[in-house]
Amino acid sequence: MIIQPKARPEGQGTRAIRASRTGLAGRLKEQRLLYVLMLPAIVVTLLFSYVPMFGLYMAFINYSPGGGSFFKQFFTTDFVGLQWFEYFFTNGDFIRIMRNTLAQSFLSLLFGFPLPIILALMINELRNGWFKRTFQTVSYMPHFISWVIAANIIITMLSSGGVINNILMGLGFVDEPIQFMQKGPLFWWIIALSNAWKDMGFNAIMYLAAIAAINPELYEVAKVDGASRLKQMLHITLPSIRPTIIILAILAVGGILNAGFDQQYLLQNNTVMQYSEVIDTYTYKYGLQNGMFSYGAAVGLFKSVVAFILVISVNQMAKRMEQQSLF
């Protein structure tokens, strides 16, 4: 005789299991090993990202280093409120700094955002495995080159006797060498193109990872329906990686004021200073070189606040328009 188990009211066991898992103590116990693995990352984040935030107070005081205890001077210095922010907005440098920062950032975004997508699509279409791996490796090698070396390469190539001028003169486009590094408006384009060249291959890795996650059966069905490789790219690959594109676009817009420091500092010279100075180099020169620590902290805090507002705004727009968001 087969004994049938006693029937359980529908959903009772599921609700009990769900209730035990929704509690904080239950989740901590159930996933304790995962939290242990996360602990080092949490500690590092707290030490290097959150603990230093108390230094933001420097933007609201008139701090000047001197002898004695740092903490005593830091917390006993006169509180000046928004004085340093007002000084930044009214001292005549604000418009020039913002113009250069936004121009370089928008141009870098214009070249640097679509090119990795195009490169990833091109690499994905390569069928020769050896050539595909070699091309991918060569494409992201510039990312690992120091900006000190990269800046010297760029300056040498754009010099009067450099490769670029030799090619232009050889093809008859110009009669005499162009002084690329001496022309202010060209500096924005040099920064944008150098950023795109240096990071294009490395940024394409994220899109290649998203492409690798696409179900191969979609391509098989498309081939049966007679779709060409171009149509497969347009109607399968691009729509499938759209969430990744949106997330990276949100992060890119959030960093619109982060034009960079290394490339500007290494490529700029006195003749293009009116076009090369951005928020990061301006903060370094006034905050560290000139000893105006509170002023430099105020300018840096302004950039961070604007970036935070941009990330929140673009994230909400993406959530409403595309139903995709960062958080």
Side-chain angles (χ1 to χ4, degrees):
M1 183 178 65
I2 300 175
I3 302 176
Q4 297 291 341
K6 185 178 180 181
R8 179 182 295 176
E10 185 178 356
Q12 181 178 347
T14 304
R15 285 196 301 269
I17 296 173
R18 189 178 302 164
S20 64
R21 291 180 178 177
T22 54
L24 177 60
R27 291 200 302 272
L28 288 174
K29 183 179 180 181
E30 188 177 283
Q31 304 176 4
R32 57 188 179 276
L33 294 180
L34 294 178
Y35 284 105
V36 171
L37 292 174
M38 288 174 56
L39 188 59
I42 294 173
V43 172
V44 170
T45 303
L46 289 175
L47 288 178
F48 294 98
S49 297
Y50 286 92
V51 173
M53 280 189 176
F54 86 92
L56 296 177
Y57 180 67
M58 186 180 293
F60 304 97
I61 61 177
N62 188 16
Y63 174 74
S64 179
S69 172
F70 164 77
F71 292 99
K72 182 178 179 180
Q73 288 185 339
F74 187 81
F75 292 107
T76 57
T77 304
D78 295 336
F79 182 81
V80 296
L82 301 177
Q83 174 182 321
W84 293 117
F85 296 94
E86 182 181 356
Y87 178 72
F88 177 56
F89 297 145
T90 58
N91 71 350
D93 292 333
F94 176 75
I95 296 178
R96 176 175 61 89
I97 299 302
M98 291 300 297
R99 179 201 65 181
N100 296 339
T101 302
L102 292 175
Q104 294 181 30
S105 295
F106 276 119
L107 287 175
S108 296
L109 191 62
L110 178 65
F111 291 106
F113 188 74
L115 286 180
I117 302 174
I118 298 172
L119 179 63
L121 294 174
M122 292 173 56
I123 294 175
N124 184 62
E125 291 301 316
L126 296 176
R127 291 295 177 259
N128 186 300
W130 178 87
F131 181 74
K132 181 177 182 179
R133 291 190 297 270
T134 303
F135 183 78
Q136 183 178 354
T137 302
V138 172
S139 68
Y140 65 68
M141 280 180 62
H143 176 79
F144 300 99
I145 299 177
S146 168
W147 264 113
V148 176
I149 300 175
N152 280 278
I153 294 174
I154 294 169
I155 292 173
T156 302
M157 293 181 64
L158 296 177
S159 63
S160 299
V163 176
I164 304 299
N165 273 310
N166 289 335
I167 293 175
L168 293 177
M169 294 177 65
L171 295 176
F173 290 116
V174 295
D175 297 326
E176 58 183 16
I178 300 175
Q179 303 296 329
F180 288 101
M181 302 306 298
Q182 308 298 323
K183 297 181 181 297
L186 291 181
F187 187 85
W188 295 345
W189 296 89
I190 293 172
I191 289 293
L193 292 174
S194 61
N195 284 333
W197 161 73
K198 197 169 186 302
D199 295 328
M200 176 175 61
F202 187 79
N203 292 337
I205 295 176
M206 291 176 283
Y207 298 107
L208 287 171
I211 293 173
I214 300 175
N215 189 349
E217 294 181 359
L218 296 176
Y219 294 103
E220 297 297 332
V221 173
K223 289 179 183 178
V224 172
D225 291 340
S228 63
R229 292 175 66 176
L230 178 61
K231 289 185 177 180
Q232 294 177 36
M233 181 192 302
L234 295 176
H235 299 289
I236 297 177
T237 309
L238 279 176
S240 298
I241 66 174
R242 185 170 62 181
T244 303
I245 295 175
I246 293 174
I247 297 300
L248 294 178
I250 294 172
L251 296 175
V253 173
I256 200 69
L257 293 184
N258 190 23
F261 172 80
D262 295 342
Q263 55 271 52
Q264 281 82 359
Y265 189 75
L266 294 168
L267 292 173
Q268 66 181 202
N269 55 71
N270 291 332
T271 58
V272 297
M273 195 62 68
Q274 291 295 319
Y275 292 87
S276 64
E277 197 82 277
V278 294
I279 289 181
D280 290 324
T281 58
Y282 184 80
T283 303
Y284 168 74
K285 290 179 179 179
Y286 277 87
L288 294 179
Q289 290 186 336
N290 294 347
M292 300 175 64
F293 295 97
S294 293
Y295 181 52
V299 177
L301 179 58
F302 163 75
K303 187 189 81 168
S304 300
V305 170
V306 173
F308 178 76
I309 294 173
L310 286 173
V311 168
I312 297 297
S313 303
V314 177
N315 184 76
Q316 292 301 318
M317 291 174 56
K319 184 182 295 185
R320 292 180 181 180
M321 297 173 60
E322 298 288 340
Q323 301 298 318
Q324 296 287 341
S325 62
L326 185 61
F327 48 86

